[in-house]
């Protein structure tokens, strides 16, 4: 996700306002601008070369911009929407927001695959050598792992159980292995379902050697990658694993979103805490202590769920698409900063 700045210096197309400068002034201003913008020289260096003060250099450069002698264009790859990205980051107080152009034929589809590709590049920027990278189950995180082609040496740990233990080789276990292979670090997968029939079974599984070893890394995670689901069939993993009676129960509590097997209402408050006791997953208070939590989620159908999770304070950065971004940027009053990572429930009790 590289951006480039192209500086064009032109006296011939300077415009009527720039022609108020004499030809000697125009030539000198163009030369100074070229030195500063294209050659990367400092104002002091330019002043020494032209035998003037650095203050005059500053004035000349400012005049060159005002009179259109210098044109500055900020360019990013066509698939990235810089304006929406910055607006989304500001609205939610995120550390990073990256908005990807939605494919015209997939605007209604959740989590287009290109989100994973962009998220893979973002992780390449965020992860440093020696970090512990945590990956939660989700289609978008699986796509991200498949697209990874660079990561500094780091430890990779799975943050949730799998949707179906029988698909571990094609799901989150393989994502953890893939990320560890790219980074050259250790992998700590979890060979267990995400949701168990009861709390006792889940507690017993957490004490099994391999799973317990992965859990020991949860408090050491420095960068995490998570997915977000809205409360509907085919888009929420937890929704699809529950019985009709259980779905109705959590719907009655106002569930609007699911992330890493935790449920949230529209204001970002966690609900259905009893469900967490049946799940193999990282705890919300552990997620809240992770310095960088990147959520990957897109599509208009997920917009309300993304909004709810961002309001929880658990996520610091987001990779999404223009379809979801447009809904998020016009959805009700602006929330508190996502970087204010207090629990909304604690705020209510205060």
């Amino acid at each position: 996700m590289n951006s480039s700045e192209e500086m064009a210096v032109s006296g011939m197309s300077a415009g009527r306002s720039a022609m108020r400068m004499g030809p000697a002034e125009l030539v000198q201003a163009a030369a100074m601008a070229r030195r500063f913008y294209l050659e990367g020289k400092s104002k002091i260096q330019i002043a020494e070369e032209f035998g003037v003060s650095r203050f005059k250099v500053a004035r000349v450069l400012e005049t060159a911009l005002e009179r259109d002698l210098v044109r500055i264009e900020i360019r990013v790859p066509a698939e990235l929407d810089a304006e929406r990205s910055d607006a989304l980051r500001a609205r939610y107080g995120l550390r990073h927001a990256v908005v990807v152009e939605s494919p015209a034929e997939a605007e209604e589809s959740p989590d287009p695959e290109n989100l994973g590709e962009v998220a893979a590049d973002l992780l390449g920027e965020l992860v440093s050598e020696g970090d512990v990278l945590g990956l939660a189950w989700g289609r978008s995180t699986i796509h991200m792992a498949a697209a990874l082609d660079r990561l500094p040496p780091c430890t990779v740990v799975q943050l949730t159980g799998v949707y179906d233990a029988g698909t571990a080789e094609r799901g989150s276990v393989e994502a953890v292995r893939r990320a560890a292979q790219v980074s050259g670090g250790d992998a700590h997968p979890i060979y267990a379902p995400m949701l168990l029939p009861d709390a006792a079974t889940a507690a017993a599984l957490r004490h099994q050697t391999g799973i317990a070893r992965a859990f020991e890394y949860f408090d050491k995670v420095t960068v995490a990658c998570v997915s977000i689901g809205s409360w509907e069939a085919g888009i929420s993993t937890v929704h699809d694993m529950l019985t009709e009676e259980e779905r109705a129960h959590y719907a009655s509590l106002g569930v609007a979103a699911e992330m890493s097997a935790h449920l949230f209402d529209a204001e970002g408050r966690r609900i259905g805490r009893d469900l967490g006791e049946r799940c193999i997953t990282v705890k919300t208070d552990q997620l809240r202590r992770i310095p960088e939590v990147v959520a990957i989620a897109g599509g208009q159908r997920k917009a309300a769920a993304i909004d709810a999770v961002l309001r929880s304070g658990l996520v610091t950065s987001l990779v999404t698409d223009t379809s979801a971004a447009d809904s998020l940027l016009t959805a009700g009053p602006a929330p508190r900063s996502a970087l204010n990572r207090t629990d909304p429930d604690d705020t209510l009790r205060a």
Side-chain angles (χ1 to χ4, degrees):
M1 295 176 294
N2 295 323
S3 65
S4 61
E5 296 186 354
E6 178 181 285
M7 290 71 176
V9 181
S10 171
M12 296 300 292
S13 60
R16 291 181 63 185
S17 61
M19 291 308 294
R20 296 173 188 171
M21 300 172 69
E25 291 176 304
L26 275 171
V27 170
Q28 184 183 69
M32 287 183 177
R34 183 175 296 279
R35 303 290 194 281
F36 185 73
Y37 290 109
L38 299 183
E39 299 175 12
K41 291 187 176 181
S42 70
K43 294 174 184 176
I44 293 176
Q45 290 174 315
I46 297 170
E48 291 175 350
E49 179 182 348
F50 287 87
V52 297
S53 71
R54 62 185 177 88
F55 300 105
K56 179 174 181 178
V57 173
R59 287 196 301 272
V60 170
L61 292 174
E62 183 178 351
T63 301
L65 283 171
E66 290 174 350
R67 298 191 177 185
D68 199 29
L69 183 63
V70 172
R71 299 188 306 275
I72 301 177
E73 298 179 5
I74 309 299
R75 292 182 178 180
V76 297
E79 69 270 17
L80 300 183
D81 192 308
E83 185 175 349
R84 284 184 175 92
S85 297
D86 189 56
L88 202 59
R89 179 201 57 76
R91 174 176 169 81
Y92 286 91
L94 295 163
R95 187 169 292 123
H96 303 285
V98 181
V99 178
V100 181
E101 190 70 33
S102 302
E105 68 278 7
E107 285 192 356
E108 297 300 318
S109 301
D111 302 338
E113 289 192 23
N114 60 340
L115 293 185
E117 298 170 3
V118 173
D121 283 343
L122 179 61
L123 281 190
E125 292 183 55
L126 299 181
V127 176
S128 300
E129 183 173 352
D131 275 345
V132 176
L133 172 62
L135 301 181
W137 194 95
R139 297 179 187 87
S140 56
T141 53
I142 291 170
H143 292 153
M144 179 278 300
L148 281 172
D149 59 10
R150 64 184 177 97
L151 270 182
C154 64
T155 300
V156 186
V157 60
Q158 193 170 323
L159 296 179
T160 63
V162 297
Y163 173 52
D164 179 353
T167 64
E169 293 302 316
R170 302 189 302 276
S172 46
V173 169
E174 180 55 32
V176 169
R177 287 175 174 167
R178 167 65 182 167
Q181 180 185 36
V182 172
S183 74
D186 293 333
H188 296 277
I190 294 177
Y191 295 96
M194 181 187 295
L195 179 65
L196 281 303
D198 52 68
T201 304
L205 272 178
R206 291 189 198 104
H207 287 92
Q208 288 189 0
T209 304
I211 297 173
R213 186 177 299 116
F215 269 57
E216 289 174 358
Y217 278 91
F218 286 2
D219 288 326
K220 303 174 184 177
V221 173
T222 51
V223 180
C225 192
V226 301
S227 297
I228 296 173
S230 55
W231 196 246
E232 55 182 302
I235 302 184
S236 165
T237 301
V238 172
H239 178 283
D240 291 347
M241 289 192 289
L242 295 174
T243 65
E244 287 292 343
E245 183 179 355
E246 290 170 328
R247 293 170 189 163
H249 167 66
Y250 292 118
S252 71
L253 298 179
V255 59
E258 173 254 317
M259 179 184 71
S260 302
H262 300 295
L263 308 183
F264 303 88
D265 68 10
E267 296 303 317
R269 296 182 293 257
R270 188 181 169 204
I271 61 176
R273 293 172 186 266
D274 59 312
L275 182 66
E277 297 176 1
R278 295 170 50 194
C279 293
I280 303 298
T281 185
V282 62
K283 296 178 181 178
T284 53
D285 61 340
Q286 290 173 314
L287 279 171
R288 204 176 300 279
R289 291 194 297 268
I290 297 174
E292 186 73 78
V293 179
V294 180
I296 314 170
Q300 192 170 12
R301 291 172 65 186
K302 277 195 176 183
I306 297 169
D307 177 70
V309 172
L310 292 181
R311 291 173 185 271
S312 75
L314 294 174
V315 170
T316 61
S317 297
L318 175 69
V319 178
T320 190
D321 64 352
T322 53
S323 179
D326 286 342
S327 295
L328 291 169
L329 290 170
T330 57
R336 62 180 185 155
S337 169
L339 299 182
N340 174 18
R341 305 184 73 188
T342 55
D343 189 331
D345 289 346
D346 291 336
T347 302
L348 288 175
R349 290 193 290 268

